[in-house]
Amino acid sequence: MFYTDIPTTAEIRRLAEVRDPVCVSLALRTTPVTQEVQQDRIKFANLAHSALEQVPAMALGKADRAGLEAGLADIAEDDEFWAHQSESLVVFATPERTRTYRLPNHLVDDAQVSDRLHLPPLLRAVAFPHNAVVLVLGQNAVRVIEMTGNAPVGEIRVTGMPTSAAEVARKASIAGRSPKGRLQGSEGQKVHLLAFARRVDSALRSVLAGRDTPLIVVANEPLRSVFLSVCSHGAVLHGHPDGVSETSSDTDIAAAARGLIDGHYRDEVRALCDTYAVRAGIRRATSKVTDIARSSTFGGVDTLMVNMEKTLSGRIDPEDGRVSYAAEGAETYDILSELACRTLLTGGRVLSVRQEDLPEVEPVAALLRHPV
């Protein structure tokens, strides 16, 4: 089973504001198979040791250093925590606090030490969530499945969810003829399906309210179209997962839904690259780090795409956005992560992508609110 802790955008903005003389950011691939986690624990301990070695001797007092070491050691020694993992783990640690995020993404092992947190590994989980809710809808049965990655986490028991269209209609079947003077045949059936769909949508709100989690609908026509016409959730994915129906297993449905989600995100990135090509001609898109640094400092970046596996060491002036490159160390930080933070804190959107998804050879690209 997968266990995930997908942060909200508001939570990432709070993380972007963290400043401390020493902030440790660790990322590593993990396995959800409990019997195989020992190697992950060893890898985490090695990454933590590597990060602590990067902390300058004078950067922390004795008590603060002990607090930082203790926070990381507590994670390494927590048997229950390691028994419940996903595909990757991100850990943020300061002398006062440690935070862990179990993610469905496949991350590269990394250890960063600076005066702020290294966020790109976390951003992809928010930009392209690997979790989804699948509504498997039939006239005589309803299932709601939560999925992460390619695997179904399990069926969700939804309070108030009707079991069938006939239950809502208070009839043995909605296919039969109605008494004289009432709606009959296909017209009457459509009315009953609409009532059923509204009840399903109302029940789903308790699961989806306040979430941007993608909703995938598996249903035959005409019930699928009827439900989509009344669905109130704002993140419904268009299209039907290939090769599955309401009678398919949870595992088959999750695998088919994964393909639908991946296609949706590919289309989204492709559309952003198309927009980039158009705006580059009017100086409202750029891949130059120095231009993006200035724009993000003054709230000028609308959308930022950044290579999640690349780092550029240095600093960005907080007043004018001037970039200074320098060797990696406790006195510097990842410039790409800082660009992401400044964009988020000024209301922009950040997508952590892979290099092949970017429109240029540079590890970052931005759509701007104003020409540069």
Side-chain angles (χ1 to χ4, degrees), residues 16-354:
E17 293 176 327
V18 171
R19 295 291 182 271
D20 201 280
V22 174
C23 295
V24 171
S25 303
L26 307 177
L28 66 150
R29 282 291 304 272
T30 56
T31 174
V33 181
T34 302
Q35 295 81 357
E36 301 176 6
V37 299
Q38 187 57 31
Q39 288 301 113
D40 294 338
R41 295 178 73 165
I42 293 172
K43 182 166 58 174
F44 171 79
N46 290 337
L47 280 173
H49 178 72
S50 172
L52 289 170
E53 285 190 327
Q54 296 178 44
V55 178
M58 303 301 293
L60 293 175
K62 186 175 181 180
D64 284 342
R65 188 177 185 92
L68 182 63
E69 292 175 347
L72 294 171
D74 287 344
I75 294 173
E77 296 167 6
D78 189 338
D79 294 336
E80 183 68 15
F81 174 75
W82 289 102
H84 303 90
Q85 291 298 313
S86 187
E87 295 287 354
S88 291
L89 173 67
V90 170
V91 177
F92 296 132
T94 65
E96 293 79 25
R97 185 178 180 187
T98 58
R99 306 168 179 86
T100 61
Y101 296 92
R102 298 166 296 182
L103 305 175
N105 312 74
H106 292 174
L107 299 179
V108 175
D109 296 350
D110 186 41
Q112 299 280 333
V113 176
S114 181
D115 63 350
R116 61 203 69 196
L117 302 174
H118 182 69
L119 296 185
L122 209 59
L123 292 172
R124 188 171 178 85
V126 177
F128 302 119
H130 284 232
N131 60 324
V133 170
V134 183
L135 172 65
V136 186
L137 186 60
Q139 291 188 27
N140 299 311
V142 184
R143 273 182 291 161
V144 180
I145 303 167
E146 188 163 14
M147 57 171 284
T148 299
N150 294 322
V153 174
E155 185 173 348
I156 304 172
R157 301 298 178 184
V158 182
T159 302
M161 181 65 75
T163 60
S164 68
E167 175 199 318
V168 176
R170 299 182 181 179
K171 299 176 60 176
S173 171
I174 66 169
R177 306 289 290 182
S178 297
K180 185 177 180 180
R182 297 193 177 185
L183 293 170
Q184 300 183 25
S186 61
E187 185 181 3
Q189 186 180 45
K190 182 179 180 181
V191 170
H192 292 315
L193 290 179
L194 276 167
F196 177 46
R198 290 192 186 97
R199 280 278 299 278
V200 171
D201 178 64
S202 178
L204 272 178
R205 290 175 191 172
S206 65
V207 175
L208 298 172
R211 300 171 61 185
D212 293 327
T213 305
L215 174 65
I216 296 169
V217 180
V218 175
N220 293 329
E221 294 293 353
L223 183 53
R224 175 181 169 80
S225 294
V226 170
F227 175 78
L228 292 177
S229 72
V230 300
C231 181
S232 59
H233 188 55
V236 179
L237 296 193
H238 298 292
H240 192 284
D242 292 336
V244 293
S245 68
E246 61 185 273
T247 60
S248 300
S249 69
D250 290 359
T251 299
D252 288 344
I253 288 173
R258 177 76 266 155
L260 190 67
I261 293 171
D262 289 344
H264 169 74
Y265 291 143
R266 282 195 300 270
D267 291 344
E268 186 175 2
V269 170
R270 191 177 300 117
L272 284 171
C273 289
D274 290 343
T275 301
Y276 178 94
V278 172
R279 292 193 182 182
I282 55 174
R283 299 174 57 198
R284 285 192 55 202
T286 182
S287 63
K288 293 182 179 180
V289 172
T290 52
D291 288 344
I292 297 172
R294 280 196 302 272
S295 293
S296 63
T297 300
F298 298 106
V301 174
D302 176 75
T303 302
L304 184 76
M305 294 181 283
V306 58
N307 183 342
M308 62 180 292
E309 297 176 352
K310 178 75 173 179
T311 60
L312 294 176
S313 182
R315 298 188 71 87
I316 302 176
D317 189 282
E319 301 297 329
D320 60 17
R322 187 177 305 169
V323 175
S324 301
Y325 295 101
E328 184 177 327
E331 300 300 318
T332 62
Y333 48 75
D334 176 27
I335 289 172
L336 299 182
S337 180
E338 180 65 12
L339 294 179
C341 291
R342 293 190 184 199
T343 299
L344 285 170
L345 293 173
T346 54
R349 182 188 182 196
V350 176
L351 301 183
S352 184
V353 300
R354 304 191 190 281

